[in-house]
Amino acid sequence: MDLNNEVERRLRDALELDELYVKSEGDHFQVIAVSEIFADMSRVKRQQAINGPLMDLIAQNAIHALSVKTFTPEQWARERKFIMPS
Protein backbone atom coordinates (compact mmCIF):
# COMPACT_ATOMS: atom_id res chain seq x y z
CA MET A 1 0.00 0.00 0.00
CA ASP A 2 1.32 3.44 -0.94
CA LEU A 3 0.76 5.28 2.32
CA ASN A 4 0.89 8.77 0.75
CA ASN A 5 -1.95 7.82 -1.59
CA GLU A 6 -3.87 6.18 1.25
CA VAL A 7 -3.58 9.29 3.45
CA GLU A 8 -4.68 11.49 0.55
CA ARG A 9 -7.62 9.21 -0.33
CA ARG A 10 -8.88 9.08 3.26
CA LEU A 11 -8.70 12.85 3.71
CA ARG A 12 -10.42 13.56 0.39
CA ASP A 13 -13.16 11.01 1.18
CA ALA A 14 -13.77 12.46 4.65
CA LEU A 15 -13.44 16.21 3.99
CA GLU A 16 -14.39 18.65 1.26
CA LEU A 17 -10.93 19.90 0.37
CA ASP A 18 -10.03 22.42 -2.33
CA GLU A 19 -6.35 21.49 -2.22
CA LEU A 20 -4.38 18.78 -0.43
CA TYR A 21 -0.65 18.15 -0.27
CA VAL A 22 0.80 15.07 1.44
CA LYS A 23 4.53 14.56 1.84
CA SER A 24 6.34 11.88 3.79
CA GLU A 25 9.76 10.73 4.82
CA GLY A 26 9.42 7.23 6.20
CA ASP A 27 6.68 7.34 8.82
CA HIS A 28 6.79 11.15 9.22
CA PHE A 29 4.01 12.90 7.30
CA GLN A 30 3.27 16.51 6.42
CA VAL A 31 -0.24 17.50 5.37
CA ILE A 32 -1.35 20.85 3.98
CA ALA A 33 -5.13 21.05 3.54
CA VAL A 34 -7.13 23.94 2.09
CA SER A 35 -10.89 24.24 2.51
CA GLU A 36 -13.65 26.63 3.44
CA ILE A 37 -14.69 24.10 6.13
CA PHE A 38 -11.80 25.36 8.29
CA ALA A 39 -13.19 28.92 8.42
CA ASP A 40 -15.17 28.47 11.65
CA MET A 41 -12.88 25.91 13.30
CA SER A 42 -10.34 26.46 16.05
CA ARG A 43 -6.80 25.19 15.50
CA VAL A 44 -7.57 22.15 17.66
CA LYS A 45 -10.75 21.34 15.67
CA ARG A 46 -8.83 21.67 12.40
CA GLN A 47 -6.19 19.22 13.67
CA GLN A 48 -8.92 16.81 14.82
CA ALA A 49 -10.62 17.00 11.41
CA ILE A 50 -7.38 15.84 9.76
CA ASN A 51 -6.42 13.29 12.41
CA GLY A 52 -9.83 11.60 12.51
CA PRO A 53 -9.69 9.74 9.16
CA LEU A 54 -6.09 8.69 9.93
CA MET A 55 -6.52 7.45 13.51
CA ASP A 56 -6.04 3.75 12.75
CA LEU A 57 -2.84 4.47 10.77
CA ILE A 58 -1.57 6.55 13.68
CA ALA A 59 -2.55 3.82 16.19
CA GLN A 60 -0.74 1.17 14.09
CA ASN A 61 2.36 3.42 13.95
CA ALA A 62 2.19 3.50 10.14
CA ILE A 63 2.16 7.25 10.77
CA HIS A 64 4.58 8.05 13.58
CA ALA A 65 4.62 11.85 13.24
CA LEU A 66 2.04 14.07 11.57
CA SER A 67 2.52 17.76 10.86
CA VAL A 68 -0.73 19.46 9.82
CA LYS A 69 -1.25 22.89 8.31
CA THR A 70 -4.79 23.92 7.45
CA PHE A 71 -5.95 27.01 5.60
CA THR A 72 -9.09 28.56 4.23
CA PRO A 73 -8.77 29.42 0.52
CA GLU A 74 -8.25 33.10 1.49
CA GLN A 75 -5.50 32.22 3.98
CA TRP A 76 -3.88 29.90 1.45
CA ALA A 77 -3.84 32.62 -1.22
CA ARG A 78 -1.75 34.72 1.20
CA GLU A 79 0.41 31.97 2.72
CA ARG A 80 1.23 29.62 -0.14
CA LYS A 81 4.09 31.74 -1.46
CA PHE A 82 5.86 31.33 1.89
CA ILE A 83 5.19 27.60 2.21
CA MET A 84 5.39 26.02 -1.24
CA PRO A 85 8.77 25.83 -2.96
CA SER A 86 8.76 27.57 -6.33
Side-chain angles (χ1 to χ4, degrees):
M1 165 175 70
D2 179 355
L3 212 46
N4 268 24
N5 287 342
E6 179 64 13
V7 167
E8 188 168 330
R9 184 191 63 75
R10 287 178 182 217
L11 293 175
R12 287 198 185 279
D13 286 352
L15 305 166
E16 278 188 42
L17 300 174
D18 296 345
E19 295 183 57
L20 176 63
Y21 304 93
V22 177
K23 239 174 59 174
S24 66
E25 290 180 21
D27 56 3
H28 291 232
F29 283 76
Q30 291 182 314
V31 170
I32 297 174
V34 182
S35 177
E36 198 57 50
I37 65 168
F38 299 127
D40 296 326
M41 288 186 189
S42 67
R43 228 168 96 211
V44 170
K45 289 285 183 204
R46 289 177 178 205
Q47 181 88 28
Q48 290 170 340
I50 298 296
N51 286 2
L54 307 176
M55 284 313 287
D56 63 319
L57 295 175
I58 294 167
Q60 297 162 11
N61 265 341
I63 296 175
H64 175 71
L66 179 61
S67 163
V68 174
K69 293 185 175 148
T70 55
F71 301 93
T72 64
E74 295 77 21
Q75 291 168 331
W76 184 236
R78 288 193 307 268
E79 299 291 326
R80 73 179 302 153
K81 60 182 167 278
F82 301 112
I83 294 171
M84 299 296 288
S86 34

